mmCIF file of all heavy atoms in Angstrom:
data_model
loop_
_atom_site.group_PDB
_atom_site.id
_atom_site.type_symbol
_atom_site.label_atom_id
_atom_site.label_comp_id
_atom_site.label_asym_id
_atom_site.label_seq_id
_atom_site.Cartn_x
_atom_site.Cartn_y
_atom_site.Cartn_z
ATOM 1 N N ARG A 1 -18.586 86.751 -123.660
ATOM 2 C CA ARG A 1 -18.730 85.320 -123.418
ATOM 3 C C ARG A 1 -20.082 84.775 -123.858
ATOM 4 O O ARG A 1 -20.216 83.628 -124.228
ATOM 5 C CB ARG A 1 -18.536 85.017 -121.903
ATOM 6 C CG ARG A 1 -17.146 85.259 -121.473
ATOM 7 C CD ARG A 1 -17.036 85.259 -119.941
ATOM 8 N NE ARG A 1 -15.609 85.329 -119.444
ATOM 9 C CZ ARG A 1 -14.900 86.464 -119.451
ATOM 10 N NH1 ARG A 1 -15.472 87.622 -119.878
ATOM 11 N NH2 ARG A 1 -13.658 86.456 -119.118
ATOM 12 N N ILE A 2 -21.075 85.656 -123.869
ATOM 13 C CA ILE A 2 -22.446 85.235 -124.231
ATOM 14 C C ILE A 2 -22.957 86.219 -125.286
ATOM 15 O O ILE A 2 -23.718 87.140 -125.018
ATOM 16 C CB ILE A 2 -23.351 85.136 -122.989
ATOM 17 C CG1 ILE A 2 -22.731 84.391 -121.882
ATOM 18 C CG2 ILE A 2 -24.754 84.545 -123.345
ATOM 19 C CD1 ILE A 2 -23.399 84.526 -120.557
ATOM 20 N N PRO A 3 -22.504 86.000 -126.547
ATOM 21 C CA PRO A 3 -22.784 87.004 -127.557
ATOM 22 C C PRO A 3 -24.204 87.050 -128.093
ATOM 23 O O PRO A 3 -24.581 87.999 -128.738
ATOM 24 C CB PRO A 3 -21.784 86.625 -128.719
ATOM 25 C CG PRO A 3 -21.647 85.139 -128.545
ATOM 26 C CD PRO A 3 -21.737 84.904 -127.059
ATOM 27 N N LYS A 4 -24.973 85.953 -127.867
ATOM 28 C CA LYS A 4 -26.277 85.977 -128.507
ATOM 29 C C LYS A 4 -27.257 85.134 -127.663
ATOM 30 O O LYS A 4 -26.994 84.078 -127.148
ATOM 31 C CB LYS A 4 -26.121 85.197 -129.903
ATOM 32 C CG LYS A 4 -27.397 85.139 -130.714
ATOM 33 C CD LYS A 4 -27.200 84.473 -132.023
ATOM 34 C CE LYS A 4 -28.504 84.347 -132.836
ATOM 35 N NZ LYS A 4 -28.268 83.635 -134.113
ATOM 36 N N ALA A 5 -28.504 85.732 -127.612
ATOM 37 C CA ALA A 5 -29.641 85.057 -127.004
ATOM 38 C C ALA A 5 -30.726 85.114 -128.037
ATOM 39 O O ALA A 5 -30.996 86.139 -128.601
ATOM 40 C CB ALA A 5 -30.058 85.672 -125.709
ATOM 41 N N GLU A 6 -31.504 84.065 -128.246
ATOM 42 C CA GLU A 6 -32.563 84.058 -129.196
ATOM 43 C C GLU A 6 -33.755 83.288 -128.697
ATOM 44 O O GLU A 6 -33.639 82.267 -128.020
ATOM 45 C CB GLU A 6 -32.075 83.496 -130.551
ATOM 46 C CG GLU A 6 -31.619 82.079 -130.519
ATOM 47 C CD GLU A 6 -31.226 81.521 -131.826
ATOM 48 O OE1 GLU A 6 -31.847 81.936 -132.857
ATOM 49 O OE2 GLU A 6 -30.334 80.694 -131.943
ATOM 50 N N ALA A 7 -34.914 83.785 -129.040
ATOM 51 C CA ALA A 7 -36.187 83.137 -128.716
ATOM 52 C C ALA A 7 -36.459 82.104 -129.868
ATOM 53 O O ALA A 7 -36.613 82.453 -131.011
ATOM 54 C CB ALA A 7 -37.312 84.116 -128.619
ATOM 55 N N LEU A 8 -36.583 80.843 -129.437
ATOM 56 C CA LEU A 8 -36.889 79.765 -130.435
ATOM 57 C C LEU A 8 -38.382 79.533 -130.471
ATOM 58 O O LEU A 8 -38.854 78.849 -131.412
ATOM 59 C CB LEU A 8 -36.182 78.498 -130.043
ATOM 60 C CG LEU A 8 -34.631 78.586 -129.897
ATOM 61 C CD1 LEU A 8 -34.087 77.144 -129.520
ATOM 62 C CD2 LEU A 8 -33.970 79.055 -131.147
ATOM 63 N N GLY A 9 -39.110 80.159 -129.608
ATOM 64 C CA GLY A 9 -40.609 80.018 -129.609
ATOM 65 C C GLY A 9 -41.031 80.781 -128.394
ATOM 66 O O GLY A 9 -40.286 81.405 -127.659
ATOM 67 N N PRO A 10 -42.380 80.761 -128.109
ATOM 68 C CA PRO A 10 -42.833 81.607 -126.982
ATOM 69 C C PRO A 10 -42.268 81.206 -125.625
ATOM 70 O O PRO A 10 -42.123 82.035 -124.747
ATOM 71 C CB PRO A 10 -44.391 81.246 -127.002
ATOM 72 C CG PRO A 10 -44.603 80.806 -128.407
ATOM 73 C CD PRO A 10 -43.414 80.157 -128.859
ATOM 74 N N HIS A 11 -41.910 79.862 -125.506
ATOM 75 C CA HIS A 11 -41.431 79.445 -124.209
ATOM 76 C C HIS A 11 -40.111 78.700 -124.251
ATOM 77 O O HIS A 11 -39.796 77.802 -123.465
ATOM 78 C CB HIS A 11 -42.475 78.532 -123.505
ATOM 79 C CG HIS A 11 -43.782 79.224 -123.311
ATOM 80 N ND1 HIS A 11 -44.896 78.877 -124.055
ATOM 81 C CD2 HIS A 11 -44.184 80.192 -122.555
ATOM 82 C CE1 HIS A 11 -45.925 79.653 -123.714
ATOM 83 N NE2 HIS A 11 -45.497 80.454 -122.754
ATOM 84 N N ARG A 12 -39.309 79.051 -125.303
ATOM 85 C CA ARG A 12 -38.112 78.335 -125.541
ATOM 86 C C ARG A 12 -37.031 79.329 -125.931
ATOM 87 O O ARG A 12 -37.186 80.110 -126.907
ATOM 88 C CB ARG A 12 -38.301 77.288 -126.604
ATOM 89 C CG ARG A 12 -37.203 76.269 -126.811
ATOM 90 C CD ARG A 12 -37.739 75.180 -127.681
ATOM 91 N NE ARG A 12 -36.629 74.346 -128.199
ATOM 92 C CZ ARG A 12 -36.070 73.283 -127.667
ATOM 93 N NH1 ARG A 12 -36.518 72.932 -126.492
ATOM 94 N NH2 ARG A 12 -35.138 72.579 -128.262
ATOM 95 N N VAL A 13 -35.946 79.474 -125.126
ATOM 96 C CA VAL A 13 -34.963 80.410 -125.382
ATOM 97 C C VAL A 13 -33.525 79.802 -125.433
ATOM 98 O O VAL A 13 -33.303 78.865 -124.603
ATOM 99 C CB VAL A 13 -34.988 81.520 -124.332
ATOM 100 C CG1 VAL A 13 -34.746 81.048 -122.946
ATOM 101 C CG2 VAL A 13 -34.049 82.681 -124.633
ATOM 102 N N LYS A 14 -32.729 80.237 -126.322
ATOM 103 C CA LYS A 14 -31.391 79.664 -126.453
ATOM 104 C C LYS A 14 -30.278 80.714 -126.230
ATOM 105 O O LYS A 14 -30.383 81.822 -126.787
ATOM 106 C CB LYS A 14 -31.218 79.066 -127.868
ATOM 107 C CG LYS A 14 -29.896 78.341 -128.123
ATOM 108 C CD LYS A 14 -29.870 77.614 -129.471
ATOM 109 C CE LYS A 14 -28.582 76.852 -129.718
ATOM 110 N NZ LYS A 14 -28.599 76.203 -131.024
ATOM 111 N N PHE A 15 -29.239 80.381 -125.499
ATOM 112 C CA PHE A 15 -28.107 81.197 -125.326
ATOM 113 C C PHE A 15 -26.891 80.528 -126.000
ATOM 114 O O PHE A 15 -26.656 79.336 -125.752
ATOM 115 C CB PHE A 15 -27.809 81.375 -123.823
ATOM 116 C CG PHE A 15 -28.826 82.243 -123.114
ATOM 117 C CD1 PHE A 15 -29.901 81.711 -122.491
ATOM 118 C CD2 PHE A 15 -28.635 83.621 -123.002
ATOM 119 C CE1 PHE A 15 -30.820 82.468 -121.881
ATOM 120 C CE2 PHE A 15 -29.606 84.458 -122.379
ATOM 121 C CZ PHE A 15 -30.694 83.833 -121.794
ATOM 122 N N HIS A 16 -26.162 81.354 -126.740
ATOM 123 C CA HIS A 16 -24.928 80.833 -127.453
ATOM 124 C C HIS A 16 -23.720 81.347 -126.667
ATOM 125 O O HIS A 16 -23.630 82.512 -126.288
ATOM 126 C CB HIS A 16 -24.889 81.330 -128.881
ATOM 127 C CG HIS A 16 -26.062 80.884 -129.665
ATOM 128 N ND1 HIS A 16 -25.975 79.820 -130.517
ATOM 129 C CD2 HIS A 16 -27.264 81.398 -129.822
ATOM 130 C CE1 HIS A 16 -27.143 79.666 -131.175
ATOM 131 N NE2 HIS A 16 -27.970 80.619 -130.738
ATOM 132 N N PHE A 17 -22.722 80.438 -126.474
ATOM 133 C CA PHE A 17 -21.558 80.821 -125.773
ATOM 134 C C PHE A 17 -20.358 80.948 -126.730
ATOM 135 O O PHE A 17 -20.181 80.063 -127.604
ATOM 136 C CB PHE A 17 -21.238 79.797 -124.683
ATOM 137 C CG PHE A 17 -22.368 79.617 -123.743
ATOM 138 C CD1 PHE A 17 -22.711 78.348 -123.270
ATOM 139 C CD2 PHE A 17 -23.105 80.735 -123.260
ATOM 140 C CE1 PHE A 17 -23.760 78.191 -122.346
ATOM 141 C CE2 PHE A 17 -24.191 80.549 -122.417
ATOM 142 C CZ PHE A 17 -24.449 79.270 -121.956
ATOM 143 N N ALA A 18 -19.516 81.955 -126.587
ATOM 144 C CA ALA A 18 -18.478 82.297 -127.547
ATOM 145 C C ALA A 18 -17.369 81.231 -127.453
ATOM 146 O O ALA A 18 -17.028 80.710 -126.384
ATOM 147 C CB ALA A 18 -17.883 83.693 -127.234
ATOM 148 N N ASP A 19 -16.745 81.032 -128.606
ATOM 149 C CA ASP A 19 -15.573 80.137 -128.701
ATOM 150 C C ASP A 19 -14.432 80.828 -127.892
ATOM 151 O O ASP A 19 -14.274 82.035 -127.831
ATOM 152 C CB ASP A 19 -15.160 79.914 -130.115
ATOM 153 C CG ASP A 19 -16.162 79.113 -130.887
ATOM 154 O OD1 ASP A 19 -16.937 78.356 -130.235
ATOM 155 O OD2 ASP A 19 -16.233 79.292 -132.081
ATOM 156 N N GLY A 20 -13.537 79.947 -127.377
ATOM 157 C CA GLY A 20 -12.358 80.475 -126.734
ATOM 158 C C GLY A 20 -12.534 80.824 -125.270
ATOM 159 O O GLY A 20 -11.506 81.337 -124.616
ATOM 160 N N TYR A 21 -13.665 80.638 -124.705
ATOM 161 C CA TYR A 21 -13.878 80.883 -123.304
ATOM 162 C C TYR A 21 -14.332 79.600 -122.514
ATOM 163 O O TYR A 21 -15.071 78.747 -123.119
ATOM 164 C CB TYR A 21 -14.990 81.939 -123.138
ATOM 165 C CG TYR A 21 -14.562 83.326 -123.545
ATOM 166 C CD1 TYR A 21 -14.872 83.768 -124.803
ATOM 167 C CD2 TYR A 21 -13.817 84.147 -122.752
ATOM 168 C CE1 TYR A 21 -14.517 85.053 -125.278
ATOM 169 C CE2 TYR A 21 -13.439 85.408 -123.162
ATOM 170 C CZ TYR A 21 -13.842 85.864 -124.418
ATOM 171 O OH TYR A 21 -13.393 87.103 -124.836
ATOM 172 N N PRO A 22 -13.843 79.472 -121.348
ATOM 173 C CA PRO A 22 -14.249 78.220 -120.570
ATOM 174 C C PRO A 22 -15.750 78.201 -120.403
ATOM 175 O O PRO A 22 -16.452 79.229 -120.326
ATOM 176 C CB PRO A 22 -13.585 78.466 -119.221
ATOM 177 C CG PRO A 22 -12.473 79.436 -119.470
ATOM 178 C CD PRO A 22 -12.944 80.313 -120.564
ATOM 179 N N ARG A 23 -16.268 77.008 -120.389
ATOM 180 C CA ARG A 23 -17.733 76.860 -120.343
ATOM 181 C C ARG A 23 -18.316 76.847 -118.972
ATOM 182 O O ARG A 23 -19.476 77.052 -118.721
ATOM 183 C CB ARG A 23 -18.065 75.475 -121.023
ATOM 184 C CG ARG A 23 -17.842 75.455 -122.513
ATOM 185 C CD ARG A 23 -18.721 76.522 -123.187
ATOM 186 N NE ARG A 23 -18.481 76.596 -124.609
ATOM 187 C CZ ARG A 23 -18.021 77.650 -125.234
ATOM 188 N NH1 ARG A 23 -17.644 78.764 -124.551
ATOM 189 N NH2 ARG A 23 -17.890 77.695 -126.569
ATOM 190 N N ARG A 24 -17.416 76.664 -117.932
ATOM 191 C CA ARG A 24 -17.934 76.609 -116.559
ATOM 192 C C ARG A 24 -18.615 77.916 -116.166
ATOM 193 O O ARG A 24 -18.057 79.020 -116.450
ATOM 194 C CB ARG A 24 -16.782 76.276 -115.532
ATOM 195 C CG ARG A 24 -17.276 76.171 -114.215
ATOM 196 C CD ARG A 24 -16.242 75.454 -113.281
ATOM 197 N NE ARG A 24 -16.664 75.665 -111.942
ATOM 198 C CZ ARG A 24 -16.221 76.624 -111.127
ATOM 199 N NH1 ARG A 24 -15.270 77.355 -111.544
ATOM 200 N NH2 ARG A 24 -16.694 76.747 -109.925
ATOM 201 N N ALA A 25 -19.730 77.797 -115.579
ATOM 202 C CA ALA A 25 -20.556 78.930 -115.045
ATOM 203 C C ALA A 25 -21.288 79.679 -116.095
ATOM 204 O O ALA A 25 -22.002 80.649 -115.820
ATOM 205 C CB ALA A 25 -19.747 79.903 -114.171
ATOM 206 N N MET A 26 -21.152 79.306 -117.403
ATOM 207 C CA MET A 26 -21.938 80.001 -118.479
ATOM 208 C C MET A 26 -23.412 79.676 -118.272
ATOM 209 O O MET A 26 -24.241 80.605 -118.327
ATOM 210 C CB MET A 26 -21.460 79.531 -119.843
ATOM 211 C CG MET A 26 -20.049 79.886 -120.226
ATOM 212 S SD MET A 26 -19.958 81.642 -120.677
ATOM 213 C CE MET A 26 -18.484 81.551 -121.661
ATOM 214 N N ILE A 27 -23.727 78.445 -117.997
ATOM 215 C CA ILE A 27 -25.150 78.077 -117.890
ATOM 216 C C ILE A 27 -25.758 78.702 -116.661
ATOM 217 O O ILE A 27 -26.868 79.241 -116.644
ATOM 218 C CB ILE A 27 -25.307 76.538 -117.886
ATOM 219 C CG1 ILE A 27 -24.938 75.917 -119.276
ATOM 220 C CG2 ILE A 27 -26.706 76.156 -117.441
ATOM 221 C CD1 ILE A 27 -25.038 74.478 -119.398
ATOM 222 N N THR A 28 -24.977 78.665 -115.559
ATOM 223 C CA THR A 28 -25.563 79.245 -114.313
ATOM 224 C C THR A 28 -25.630 80.793 -114.407
ATOM 225 O O THR A 28 -26.425 81.405 -113.829
ATOM 226 C CB THR A 28 -24.720 78.844 -113.136
ATOM 227 O OG1 THR A 28 -23.294 79.168 -113.332
ATOM 228 C CG2 THR A 28 -24.834 77.408 -112.823
ATOM 229 N N GLN A 29 -24.708 81.400 -115.222
ATOM 230 C CA GLN A 29 -24.774 82.831 -115.482
ATOM 231 C C GLN A 29 -26.058 83.258 -116.095
ATOM 232 O O GLN A 29 -26.787 84.121 -115.602
ATOM 233 C CB GLN A 29 -23.602 83.268 -116.324
ATOM 234 C CG GLN A 29 -23.633 84.686 -116.802
ATOM 235 C CD GLN A 29 -23.237 85.634 -115.672
ATOM 236 O OE1 GLN A 29 -22.145 85.558 -115.192
ATOM 237 N NE2 GLN A 29 -24.181 86.523 -115.343
ATOM 238 N N VAL A 30 -26.386 82.584 -117.166
ATOM 239 C CA VAL A 30 -27.670 82.976 -117.865
ATOM 240 C C VAL A 30 -28.886 82.469 -117.067
ATOM 241 O O VAL A 30 -29.964 83.129 -117.098
ATOM 242 C CB VAL A 30 -27.703 82.446 -119.294
ATOM 243 C CG1 VAL A 30 -26.622 83.177 -120.158
ATOM 244 C CG2 VAL A 30 -27.539 80.977 -119.434
#
């Protein structure tokens, strides 16, 4: 469901959520 996490800077991080999965609780998961 969460195939990728990447640092965009020293204090900025991005999580990508996979297609085909519900979005609910993805943000609270990470």
Side-chain angles (χ1 to χ4, degrees):
R1 293 167 173 78
I2 309 169
K4 182 180 179 182
E6 61 176 328
L8 304 180
H11 302 109
R12 194 167 160 87
V13 61
K14 184 175 185 179
F15 290 90
H16 299 263
F17 304 139
D19 292 336
Y21 291 96
R23 293 298 179 242
R24 184 165 166 262
M26 292 284 203
I27 291 176
T28 54
Q29 173 74 61
V30 294

